[in-house]
Structures are given as C-alpha cells and as structure tokens.
Amino acid sequence: MDEANMTLRVEARMVGKRKPLGAPWQVTLPSNLLHPDEDGGQVFRLRDLIAELVRVEVQAFRLRQEERRVLNILSAQEIDDAARTGKVSMGGEKELVPVEVDEYEAVQVALQGFVDGIYLVFLDGQPQRELDGPVQLHQESSLLFIRLVALVGG
C-alpha cells in the first residue's frame, strides 16, 4: 500500500435497530498506522484502526462540547426545528458542564469491547476477528461496527 493517507468509510449499527446509529462518515487514516508485512508490503492492524477511530471521535466530542459553550442566536426556523425534536438550546456556558474524556482510556475500553464481543467489526463485508491481524484497505474500503445487545428476557 503506497498511499500516504487512506480514507475509510465508517458506519455503526446496532442489532435489532433498522436505522444506523448515525450517518456513515469518512475518516482519513495517517500513514504512520501502517506496519510492514511478511511480503515486504505495508498493512494496517485492526487494533490501530479502532484506536484511531476512537481518537477521532474523542476529538470531535471535545469540539462539540466547545461549540455548545458559545451562545447562539437562533432563527425562527431553527427554533421551530428544535422544538419538534423536544429541546431548544441557545448554548452558553451554563448550558453545558464539560465532561473530561481520557483518550487513552477510551481507546482501551473500545479495544476491550471488541475482545469481549460487545461489538463486531466487518471490513468490506468480511468479519474481522483478530485485533493484531493485518487488514488490507483500498480507497473504497468500508468499516462496519455492529453493536450487540443482550436479548430481553435472555
């Protein structure tokens, strides 16, 4: 793989839900995640993909928290749209008590969740079973996370 950076399409779903947990998103993977393989090429490891996705999501969470601290002036349409969802918020410092997220701990929890079978990972439709196993990516690759939940009454 000679790409300097690889873009990966990511999607998350939950067993028992028809709709995805959110819209699919794109993540650019830095080339420093590549590892040499036996054939002299370079591959990614699932462990590194999951860790990078968690780091990206933690950064996005922090940015959203910071944006909510800014007081917003809402238009009439924005107020109507927010009212339909059940909450109208103008932001501001009193609006949000910041939550500290330990990036390292978040990565460890995500990796342990994979080991414990809390979620499944599919790369281009193929199940991934080993955190340290090599994964081959191409520019159109997609990663699907499926969160498993316990059955009611079982």
Coordinates of all heavy atoms in Angstrom, one line a residue, residues 61-154:
F61 N -15.9 15.0 19.8 CA -16.7 15.2 21.0 C -16.3 16.5 21.7 O -17.1 17.3 22.1 CB -16.6 14.0 22.0 CG -17.3 14.2 23.3 CD1 -18.7 14.2 23.4 CD2 -16.5 14.5 24.4 CE1 -19.3 14.4 24.7 CE2 -17.2 14.7 25.7 CZ -18.5 14.6 25.8
R62 N -15.0 16.6 21.9 CA -14.4 17.8 22.6 C -14.8 19.1 21.8 O -15.2 20.1 22.4 CB -12.9 17.7 22.7 CG -12.5 16.7 23.7 CD -11.0 16.6 23.8 NE -10.6 15.6 24.9 CZ -9.5 14.9 24.8 NH1 -8.7 15.0 23.8 NH2 -9.3 14.1 25.8
L63 N -14.8 19.0 20.5 CA -15.1 20.2 19.6 C -16.6 20.5 19.8 O -17.0 21.7 19.9 CB -14.8 19.9 18.2 CG -15.1 21.0 17.2 CD1 -14.3 22.2 17.5 CD2 -14.8 20.5 15.8
R64 N -17.5 19.5 19.8 CA -18.9 19.7 20.0 C -19.2 20.3 21.4 O -20.0 21.2 21.5 CB -19.7 18.4 19.9 CG -19.8 17.9 18.5 CD -20.8 16.8 18.3 NE -20.6 15.7 19.2 CZ -19.8 14.6 18.9 NH1 -19.2 14.6 17.8 NH2 -19.7 13.6 19.8
Q65 N -18.4 19.9 22.4 CA -18.6 20.5 23.7 C -18.2 22.0 23.7 O -18.9 22.8 24.3 CB -17.7 19.8 24.7 CG -18.3 18.6 25.4 CD -17.5 18.1 26.6 OE1 -16.3 18.0 26.5 NE2 -18.2 17.8 27.6
E66 N -17.1 22.3 23.0 CA -16.7 23.7 23.0 C -17.7 24.5 22.2 O -18.0 25.6 22.6 CB -15.3 23.7 22.3 CG -14.4 24.7 22.7 CD -14.3 25.2 24.1 OE1 -14.1 24.3 25.0 OE2 -14.5 26.4 24.4
E67 N -18.2 24.0 21.1 CA -19.2 24.7 20.3 C -20.5 25.0 21.1 O -21.1 26.1 20.9 CB -19.5 24.0 19.0 CG -18.4 24.0 18.0 CD -18.6 23.1 16.8 OE1 -19.6 22.3 16.8 OE2 -17.9 23.2 15.9
R68 N -20.9 24.1 22.0 CA -22.1 24.3 22.8 C -21.9 25.4 23.8 O -22.9 25.9 24.3 CB -22.5 23.0 23.4 CG -23.1 22.0 22.4 CD -23.7 20.8 23.0 NE -24.8 21.2 23.9 CZ -25.3 20.3 24.8 NH1 -24.7 19.2 25.0 NH2 -26.2 20.7 25.6
R69 N -20.7 25.7 24.1 CA -20.4 26.7 25.1 C -20.6 28.1 24.5 O -20.7 29.1 25.3 CB -19.0 26.6 25.7 CG -18.8 25.3 26.5 CD -17.4 25.2 27.0 NE -17.0 26.3 27.8 CZ -17.0 26.3 29.1 NH1 -17.2 25.1 29.7 NH2 -16.6 27.3 29.9
V70 N -20.7 28.2 23.2 CA -20.9 29.5 22.6 C -22.4 29.8 22.5 O -23.2 29.0 22.1 CB -20.3 29.5 21.1 CG1 -20.5 30.7 20.4 CG2 -18.8 29.2 21.2
L71 N -22.7 31.0 22.9 CA -24.1 31.5 22.8 C -24.5 31.6 21.3 O -23.9 32.4 20.6 CB -24.3 32.8 23.6 CG -25.7 33.3 23.7 CD1 -26.5 32.3 24.5 CD2 -25.7 34.6 24.4
N72 N -25.6 31.0 21.0 CA -26.1 31.1 19.6 C -27.4 31.9 19.5 O -28.2 31.8 20.4 CB -26.4 29.7 19.0 CG -25.2 28.8 18.9 OD1 -24.2 29.3 18.4 ND2 -25.3 27.6 19.4
I73 N -27.5 32.6 18.5 CA -28.8 33.4 18.2 C -29.5 32.5 17.2 O -29.0 32.3 16.1 CB -28.5 34.8 17.7 CG1 -27.6 35.6 18.6 CG2 -29.8 35.5 17.4 CD1 -28.1 35.7 20.0
L74 N -30.7 32.0 17.6 CA -31.4 31.1 16.7 C -32.4 31.9 15.8 O -33.1 32.8 16.3 CB -32.2 30.1 17.5 CG -31.3 29.2 18.4 CD1 -32.2 28.3 19.3 CD2 -30.3 28.4 17.6
S75 N -32.6 31.4 14.6 CA -33.6 32.0 13.8 C -35.0 31.3 14.1 O -35.0 30.3 14.9 CB -33.3 31.6 12.3 OG -33.5 30.3 12.0
A76 N -36.1 31.9 13.6 CA -37.4 31.3 13.9 C -37.5 29.9 13.4 O -38.0 29.0 14.1 CB -38.5 32.2 13.3
Q77 N -36.9 29.6 12.3 CA -36.9 28.3 11.7 C -36.1 27.3 12.6 O -36.6 26.2 12.8 CB -36.3 28.3 10.3 CG -36.3 26.9 9.6 CD -37.7 26.3 9.4 OE1 -38.7 27.1 9.0 NE2 -37.9 25.1 9.7
E78 N -35.0 27.7 13.1 CA -34.1 26.9 13.9 C -34.9 26.6 15.2 O -34.8 25.4 15.8 CB -32.8 27.5 14.2 CG -31.9 27.5 13.0 CD -30.6 28.4 13.3 OE1 -30.7 29.4 13.9 OE2 -29.5 28.0 12.8
I79 N -35.6 27.5 15.8 CA -36.4 27.3 17.0 C -37.5 26.3 16.7 O -37.7 25.4 17.5 CB -37.0 28.7 17.5 CG1 -35.8 29.6 18.0 CG2 -38.0 28.4 18.6 CD1 -36.2 31.0 18.4
D80 N -38.2 26.5 15.6 CA -39.3 25.5 15.2 C -38.7 24.1 15.1 O -39.3 23.1 15.6 CB -40.0 26.0 14.0 CG -40.8 27.2 14.2 OD1 -41.2 27.5 15.3 OD2 -41.2 27.8 13.2
D81 N -37.6 24.0 14.4 CA -37.0 22.7 14.2 C -36.6 22.0 15.5 O -36.8 20.8 15.7 CB -35.7 22.8 13.2 CG -36.1 23.2 11.8 OD1 -37.3 23.1 11.4 OD2 -35.2 23.6 11.1
A82 N -36.0 22.8 16.4 CA -35.5 22.3 17.7 C -36.7 21.9 18.5 O -36.7 20.9 19.2 CB -34.6 23.3 18.4
A83 N -37.8 22.7 18.4 CA -39.0 22.4 19.2 C -39.6 21.1 18.8 O -40.1 20.3 19.7 CB -40.0 23.5 19.1
R84 N -39.5 20.7 17.6 CA -40.0 19.4 17.1 C -39.2 18.3 17.7 O -39.7 17.2 17.9 CB -40.0 19.4 15.6 CG -41.3 20.0 15.0 CD -41.4 19.6 13.5 NE -40.5 20.3 12.7 CZ -40.5 21.5 12.2 NH1 -41.2 22.1 12.2 NH2 -39.8 22.1 11.5
T85 N -37.9 18.5 17.9 CA -37.1 17.4 18.5 C -37.2 17.4 20.0 O -36.8 16.4 20.6 CB -35.6 17.6 18.1 OG1 -35.1 18.8 18.7 CG2 -35.4 17.6 16.6
G86 N -37.8 18.4 20.6 CA -38.1 18.4 22.1 C -37.1 19.3 22.9 O -37.3 19.3 24.1
K87 N -36.2 19.9 22.3 CA -35.3 20.8 23.1 C -34.8 21.9 22.3 O -34.2 21.8 21.2 CB -34.1 20.0 23.6 CG -33.1 20.8 24.4 CD -32.0 20.0 24.9 CE -31.1 20.9 25.8 NZ -29.9 20.2 26.2
V88 N -35.0 23.1 22.8 CA -34.5 24.3 22.2 C -33.3 24.8 23.1 O -33.5 25.1 24.2 CB -35.6 25.4 22.0 CG1 -35.0 26.7 21.4 CG2 -36.7 24.9 21.2
S89 N -32.1 24.9 22.5 CA -31.0 25.3 23.3 C -30.2 26.4 22.5 O -29.9 26.3 21.3 CB -30.1 24.1 23.5 OG -28.9 24.5 24.1
M90 N -29.9 27.5 23.2 CA -29.1 28.5 22.7 C -27.6 28.4 23.0 O -26.8 29.2 22.7 CB -29.6 29.9 23.1 CG -31.0 30.2 22.5 SD -31.6 31.7 23.1 CE -30.4 32.9 22.6
G91 N -27.2 27.4 23.8 CA -25.9 27.2 24.2 C -25.5 28.1 25.3 O -26.3 28.5 26.1
G92 N -24.2 28.4 25.4 CA -23.8 29.3 26.5 C -23.1 28.4 27.6 O -23.3 27.2 27.7
E93 N -22.3 29.1 28.4 CA -21.5 28.4 29.5 C -22.4 27.7 30.4 O -22.0 26.6 30.9 CB -20.7 29.5 30.2 CG -19.5 28.8 30.9 CD -18.5 29.8 31.3 OE1 -18.1 30.6 30.5 OE2 -18.0 29.7 32.4
K94 N -23.6 28.2 30.8 CA -24.4 27.5 31.8 C -25.1 26.2 31.2 O -25.6 25.4 31.9 CB -25.5 28.4 32.3 CG -24.9 29.5 33.2 CD -26.0 30.4 33.7 CE -25.4 31.5 34.6 NZ -26.4 32.4 35.1
E95 N -25.1 26.2 29.9 CA -25.7 25.1 29.2 C -25.0 23.8 29.3 O -25.7 22.7 29.4 CB -25.8 25.4 27.7 CG -26.4 24.4 26.8 CD -27.9 24.3 26.9 OE1 -28.5 25.3 27.4 OE2 -28.4 23.2 26.6
L96 N -23.7 23.8 29.5 CA -23.0 22.5 29.4 C -21.9 22.5 30.5 O -21.1 23.3 30.7 CB -22.3 22.4 28.1 CG -21.5 21.2 27.9 CD1 -22.3 19.9 27.8 CD2 -20.7 21.3 26.6
V97 N -22.0 21.4 31.3 CA -20.9 21.1 32.2 C -19.9 20.2 31.5 O -20.3 19.1 31.0 CB -21.4 20.4 33.5 CG1 -20.3 20.0 34.4 CG2 -22.5 21.2 34.2
P98 N -18.7 20.7 31.2 CA -17.8 19.9 30.4 C -17.5 18.6 31.0 O -17.4 18.4 32.2 CB -16.5 20.8 30.4 CG -16.8 22.1 31.1 CD -18.1 21.9 31.7
V99 N -17.4 17.6 30.1 CA -17.1 16.2 30.5 C -15.7 15.9 30.0 O -15.4 16.1 28.8 CB -18.1 15.2 29.9 CG1 -17.7 13.8 30.2 CG2 -19.5 15.5 30.4
E100 N -14.8 15.6 30.9 CA -13.5 15.2 30.6 C -13.4 13.8 30.1 O -14.0 12.9 30.7 CB -12.5 15.4 31.7 CG -12.2 16.8 32.0 CD -11.5 17.5 30.9 OE1 -10.6 17.0 30.3 OE2 -11.9 18.7 30.6
V101 N -12.8 13.6 28.9 CA -12.7 12.2 28.3 C -11.2 11.9 28.2 O -10.4 12.7 27.6 CB -13.3 12.2 26.9 CG1 -13.1 10.8 26.3 CG2 -14.8 12.5 27.0
D102 N -10.8 10.8 28.9 CA -9.4 10.4 28.8 C -9.3 9.5 27.5 O -9.9 8.5 27.4 CB -9.1 9.5 30.0 CG -7.7 9.0 30.0 OD1 -7.1 8.7 28.9 OD2 -7.1 8.9 31.1
E103 N -8.6 10.1 26.5 CA -8.5 9.5 25.2 C -7.8 8.1 25.3 O -8.3 7.1 24.7 CB -7.6 10.4 24.3 CG -7.6 10.0 22.9 CD -6.9 11.0 22.1 OE1 -7.4 12.1 21.8 OE2 -5.7 10.7 21.7
Y104 N -6.8 7.9 26.1 CA -6.2 6.6 26.3 C -7.2 5.6 26.8 O -7.3 4.5 26.3 CB -4.9 6.7 27.2 CG -4.3 5.4 27.5 CD1 -3.5 4.8 26.6 CD2 -4.6 4.7 28.7 CE1 -2.9 3.5 26.8 CE2 -4.0 3.5 28.9 CZ -3.2 2.9 28.0 OH -2.6 1.7 28.3
E105 N -7.9 6.0 27.9 CA -8.9 5.1 28.5 C -10.0 4.7 27.5 O -10.4 3.6 27.4 CB -9.5 5.7 29.7 CG -10.4 4.8 30.5 CD -11.0 5.4 31.7 OE1 -10.3 6.3 32.3 OE2 -12.1 5.0 32.1
A106 N -10.4 5.7 26.7 CA -11.5 5.4 25.7 C -11.0 4.4 24.7 O -11.8 3.5 24.3 CB -11.9 6.7 25.0
V107 N -9.7 4.5 24.3 CA -9.2 3.5 23.3 C -9.2 2.2 24.0 O -9.6 1.2 23.4 CB -7.8 4.0 22.9 CG1 -7.1 2.8 22.1 CG2 -7.9 5.2 22.0
Q108 N -8.7 2.1 25.2 CA -8.6 0.8 25.9 C -10.0 0.2 26.1 O -10.1 -1.1 25.9 CB -7.9 0.9 27.3 CG -6.5 1.4 27.2 CD -5.7 0.6 26.2 OE1 -5.6 -0.6 26.2 NE2 -5.0 1.3 25.3
V109 N -11.0 1.0 26.4 CA -12.4 0.4 26.6 C -12.9 -0.1 25.2 O -13.5 -1.2 25.2 CB -13.3 1.5 27.1 CG1 -14.8 1.1 27.0 CG2 -12.9 1.8 28.6
A110 N -12.6 0.6 24.1 CA -13.1 0.2 22.8 C -12.4 -1.1 22.4 O -13.0 -2.1 21.9 CB -12.8 1.2 21.8
L111 N -11.1 -1.2 22.7 CA -10.4 -2.5 22.3 C -10.9 -3.6 23.2 O -11.1 -4.8 22.7 CB -8.9 -2.3 22.5 CG -8.2 -1.3 21.6 CD1 -6.8 -1.1 21.9 CD2 -8.4 -1.7 20.1
Q112 N -11.1 -3.4 24.5 CA -11.6 -4.5 25.3 C -13.0 -4.9 24.9 O -13.4 -6.0 25.0 CB -11.6 -4.0 26.8 CG -11.9 -5.1 27.8 CD -10.8 -6.2 27.7 OE1 -9.6 -6.0 27.8 NE2 -11.3 -7.5 27.6
G113 N -13.8 -3.9 24.5 CA -15.2 -4.2 24.0 C -15.1 -5.1 22.8 O -16.0 -6.0 22.7
F114 N -14.2 -5.0 21.9 CA -14.0 -5.9 20.8 C -13.7 -7.3 21.3 O -14.3 -8.3 20.9 CB -13.0 -5.4 19.8 CG -12.7 -6.3 18.7 CD1 -13.6 -6.3 17.6 CD2 -11.7 -7.2 18.7 CE1 -13.4 -7.2 16.5 CE2 -11.4 -8.1 17.6 CZ -12.3 -8.1 16.5
V115 N -12.7 -7.4 22.2 CA -12.2 -8.6 22.7 C -13.4 -9.3 23.5 O -13.6 -10.6 23.3 CB -11.0 -8.4 23.7 CG1 -10.7 -9.7 24.5 CG2 -9.8 -8.0 22.9
D116 N -14.2 -8.6 24.2 CA -15.3 -9.1 24.9 C -16.5 -9.4 24.1 O -17.5 -10.0 24.6 CB -15.7 -8.2 26.1 CG -14.7 -8.1 27.2 OD1 -13.7 -8.9 27.2 OD2 -14.7 -7.1 28.0
G117 N -16.5 -9.1 22.8 CA -17.6 -9.4 21.9 C -18.8 -8.4 22.1 O -19.9 -8.8 21.7
I118 N -18.5 -7.2 22.6 CA -19.6 -6.2 22.7 C -20.0 -5.7 21.3 O -21.2 -5.3 21.1 CB -19.1 -5.0 23.6 CG1 -18.7 -5.5 24.9 CG2 -20.2 -4.0 23.7 CD1 -19.8 -6.2 25.8
Y119 N -19.1 -5.7 20.4 CA -19.4 -5.3 19.0 C -18.6 -6.2 18.0 O -17.6 -6.7 18.4 CB -19.2 -3.8 18.8 CG -17.8 -3.4 19.0 CD1 -16.9 -3.3 17.9 CD2 -17.3 -3.0 20.2 CE1 -15.6 -2.9 18.1 CE2 -16.0 -2.6 20.4 CZ -15.1 -2.5 19.3 OH -13.8 -2.1 19.5
L120 N -19.1 -6.2 16.8 CA -18.4 -6.9 15.7 C -17.9 -5.9 14.8 O -18.5 -4.8 14.6 CB -19.4 -7.9 15.0 CG -20.1 -8.9 15.8 CD1 -21.1 -9.7 15.0 CD2 -19.1 -9.9 16.4
V121 N -16.9 -6.3 14.0 CA -16.3 -5.4 13.0 C -16.2 -6.1 11.7 O -15.8 -7.3 11.6 CB -14.9 -4.9 13.4 CG1 -14.3 -4.0 12.3 CG2 -14.9 -4.2 14.7
F122 N -16.7 -5.5 10.6 CA -16.7 -6.0 9.3 C -15.9 -5.0 8.4 O -16.3 -3.8 8.4 CB -18.1 -6.2 8.7 CG -18.8 -7.3 9.4 CD1 -19.5 -7.1 10.6 CD2 -18.9 -8.6 8.9 CE1 -20.2 -8.1 11.3 CE2 -19.5 -9.6 9.5 CZ -20.2 -9.4 10.7
L123 N -15.0 -5.5 7.7 CA -14.2 -4.7 6.7 C -14.6 -5.2 5.3 O -14.4 -6.4 5.0 CB -12.7 -4.8 7.0 CG -11.9 -4.0 6.0 CD1 -12.1 -2.5 6.0 CD2 -10.4 -4.3 6.2
D124 N -15.2 -4.3 4.6 CA -15.6 -4.7 3.2 C -16.5 -5.9 3.2 O -16.3 -6.8 2.4 CB -14.4 -4.8 2.3 CG -13.7 -3.5 2.1 OD1 -14.3 -2.4 2.2 OD2 -12.5 -3.5 1.9
G125 N -17.3 -6.1 4.3 CA -18.2 -7.2 4.4 C -17.6 -8.4 5.0 O -18.4 -9.4 5.2
Q126 N -16.4 -8.4 5.3 CA -15.7 -9.6 5.9 C -15.5 -9.4 7.4 O -15.0 -8.4 7.8 CB -14.4 -9.8 5.2 CG -14.4 -10.1 3.7 CD -15.3 -11.3 3.5 OE1 -15.1 -12.4 4.0 NE2 -16.2 -11.2 2.5
P127 N -15.9 -10.4 8.2 CA -15.7 -10.2 9.7 C -14.3 -10.2 10.0 O -13.4 -10.9 9.5 CB -16.4 -11.5 10.3 CG -16.5 -12.5 9.2 CD -16.5 -11.7 7.9
Q128 N -14.0 -9.3 11.0 CA -12.6 -9.2 11.5 C -12.6 -9.8 12.9 O -13.4 -9.4 13.7 CB -12.1 -7.7 11.5 CG -12.2 -7.1 10.2 CD -11.3 -7.7 9.1 OE1 -10.1 -7.8 9.4 NE2 -11.9 -8.2 8.0
R129 N -11.7 -10.7 13.1 CA -11.7 -11.4 14.4 C -10.4 -11.2 15.2 O -10.4 -11.6 16.4 CB -11.8 -12.9 14.1 CG -13.2 -13.2 13.5 CD -13.5 -14.7 13.4 NE -14.8 -15.0 13.0 CZ -15.3 -15.0 11.8 NH1 -14.5 -14.7 10.8 NH2 -16.6 -15.2 11.5
E130 N -9.4 -10.7 14.7 CA -8.1 -10.5 15.4 C -7.7 -9.0 15.4 O -7.6 -8.4 14.4 CB -7.0 -11.3 14.7 CG -7.2 -12.8 14.7 CD -6.1 -13.5 14.0 OE1 -4.9 -13.1 14.2 OE2 -6.3 -14.5 13.3
L131 N -7.5 -8.6 16.6 CA -7.0 -7.2 16.8 C -5.7 -6.9 16.1 O -5.5 -5.8 15.6 CB -6.9 -6.8 18.3 CG -8.2 -6.4 19.0 CD1 -8.0 -6.1 20.5 CD2 -8.8 -5.1 18.3
D132 N -4.8 -7.9 16.2 CA -3.4 -7.6 15.7 C -3.2 -8.3 14.3 O -2.1 -8.3 13.8 CB -2.4 -8.2 16.7 CG -2.4 -7.3 18.0 OD1 -2.4 -6.1 17.8 OD2 -2.4 -7.9 19.1
G133 N -4.3 -8.8 13.8 CA -4.2 -9.3 12.4 C -4.1 -8.2 11.4 O -4.7 -7.1 11.6
P134 N -3.5 -8.5 10.3 CA -3.4 -7.4 9.2 C -4.7 -7.3 8.5 O -5.4 -8.2 8.3 CB -2.3 -8.0 8.3 CG -2.4 -9.5 8.5 CD -2.8 -9.7 9.9
V135 N -5.0 -6.1 8.1 CA -6.2 -5.8 7.3 C -5.8 -5.0 6.1 O -5.0 -4.1 6.1 CB -7.3 -5.0 8.1 CG1 -7.9 -5.8 9.2 CG2 -6.7 -3.7 8.7
Q136 N -6.3 -5.4 4.9 CA -6.0 -4.8 3.7 C -7.0 -3.8 3.3 O -8.2 -4.1 3.3 CB -5.9 -5.9 2.6 CG -4.7 -6.8 2.7 CD -3.4 -6.1 2.4 OE1 -3.3 -5.1 1.7 NE2 -2.4 -6.7 3.0
L137 N -6.6 -2.6 3.1 CA -7.6 -1.5 2.8 C -7.3 -1.0 1.4 O -6.2 -1.1 0.9 CB -7.4 -0.3 3.7 CG -7.6 -0.5 5.2 CD1 -7.4 0.7 6.0 CD2 -9.0 -1.1 5.5
H138 N -8.4 -0.5 0.8 CA -8.2 0.2 -0.5 C -9.1 1.5 -0.4 O -9.7 1.7 0.6 CB -8.6 -0.7 -1.7 CG -10.0 -1.3 -1.5 ND1 -11.1 -0.7 -1.8 CD2 -10.3 -2.5 -1.0 CE1 -12.2 -1.5 -1.6 NE2 -11.7 -2.6 -1.1
Q139 N -9.0 2.3 -1.4 CA -9.7 3.6 -1.3 C -11.2 3.6 -1.1 O -11.8 4.5 -0.5 CB -9.4 4.5 -2.5 CG -8.0 5.1 -2.5 CD -7.8 6.1 -1.3 OE1 -8.7 6.6 -0.7 NE2 -6.5 6.4 -1.0
E140 N -11.8 2.5 -1.5 CA -13.3 2.4 -1.3 C -13.6 1.5 -0.1 O -14.8 1.1 0.0 CB -13.9 1.8 -2.6 CG -13.9 2.8 -3.8 CD -12.5 2.7 -4.5 OE1 -11.9 1.6 -4.6 OE2 -12.1 3.8 -5.0
S141 N -12.7 1.2 0.7 CA -13.0 0.3 1.9 C -14.0 0.9 2.8 O -14.0 2.1 3.0 CB -11.7 0.0 2.6 OG -10.9 -1.0 2.0
S142 N -14.8 0.0 3.4 CA -15.8 0.5 4.4 C -15.7 -0.4 5.7 O -15.5 -1.6 5.5 CB -17.2 0.5 3.9 OG -17.6 -0.8 3.5
L143 N -15.8 0.2 6.8 CA -15.7 -0.5 8.1 C -17.1 -0.4 8.7 O -17.6 0.7 8.9 CB -14.6 0.2 8.9 CG -14.1 -0.6 10.1 CD1 -13.3 -1.9 9.6 CD2 -13.1 0.2 10.9
L144 N -17.6 -1.5 9.1 CA -18.9 -1.5 9.8 C -18.8 -2.1 11.2 O -18.2 -3.1 11.4 CB -19.9 -2.4 9.0 CG -21.2 -2.7 9.6 CD1 -22.1 -1.4 9.8 CD2 -22.0 -3.7 8.8
F145 N -19.3 -1.3 12.2 CA -19.3 -1.7 13.5 C -20.7 -2.1 13.8 O -21.7 -1.3 13.6 CB -18.9 -0.6 14.5 CG -17.4 -0.2 14.4 CD1 -17.0 0.7 13.5 CD2 -16.5 -0.9 15.3 CE1 -15.6 1.0 13.4 CE2 -15.2 -0.5 15.2 CZ -14.7 0.4 14.3
I146 N -20.9 -3.3 14.4 CA -22.3 -3.7 14.8 C -22.2 -3.9 16.3 O -21.5 -4.8 16.8 CB -22.7 -5.0 14.1 CG1 -22.8 -4.8 12.6 CG2 -24.1 -5.5 14.6 CD1 -23.2 -5.9 11.8
R147 N -23.0 -3.1 17.0 CA -23.0 -3.2 18.5 C -24.1 -4.3 18.8 O -25.2 -4.3 18.3 CB -23.5 -1.9 19.1 CG -23.5 -2.0 20.6 CD -23.8 -0.6 21.1 NE -24.1 -0.7 22.5 CZ -24.8 0.2 23.2 NH1 -25.2 1.3 22.6 NH2 -25.0 0.0 24.4
L148 N -23.7 -5.2 19.6 CA -24.5 -6.3 20.1 C -25.2 -5.9 21.4 O -24.5 -5.4 22.3 CB -23.7 -7.6 20.2 CG -22.9 -8.0 19.0 CD1 -22.1 -9.2 19.3 CD2 -23.9 -8.3 17.8
V149 N -26.4 -6.3 21.6 CA -27.1 -6.1 22.8 C -27.7 -7.4 23.3 O -28.1 -8.2 22.5 CB -28.2 -4.9 22.7 CG1 -27.6 -3.6 22.4 CG2 -29.2 -5.3 21.6
A150 N -27.9 -7.5 24.6 CA -28.5 -8.7 25.2 C -30.0 -8.7 24.8 O -30.6 -7.7 24.7 CB -28.3 -8.7 26.7
L151 N -30.5 -9.9 24.6 CA -31.9 -10.1 24.3 C -32.7 -9.9 25.5 O -32.3 -10.2 26.6 CB -32.1 -11.5 23.7 CG -31.5 -11.8 22.4 CD1 -31.7 -13.3 22.1 CD2 -32.0 -11.0 21.3
V152 N -33.9 -9.3 25.4 CA -34.8 -9.1 26.5 C -35.2 -10.4 27.1 O -35.6 -11.3 26.3 CB -36.0 -8.2 26.1 CG1 -37.0 -8.1 27.2 CG2 -35.5 -6.9 25.6
G153 N -35.1 -10.6 28.4 CA -35.5 -11.9 29.0 C -34.6 -13.0 28.8 O -34.8 -14.2 29.2
G154 N -33.4 -12.8 28.2 CA -32.5 -13.9 27.9 C -31.1 -13.5 28.2 O -30.1 -13.7 28.4

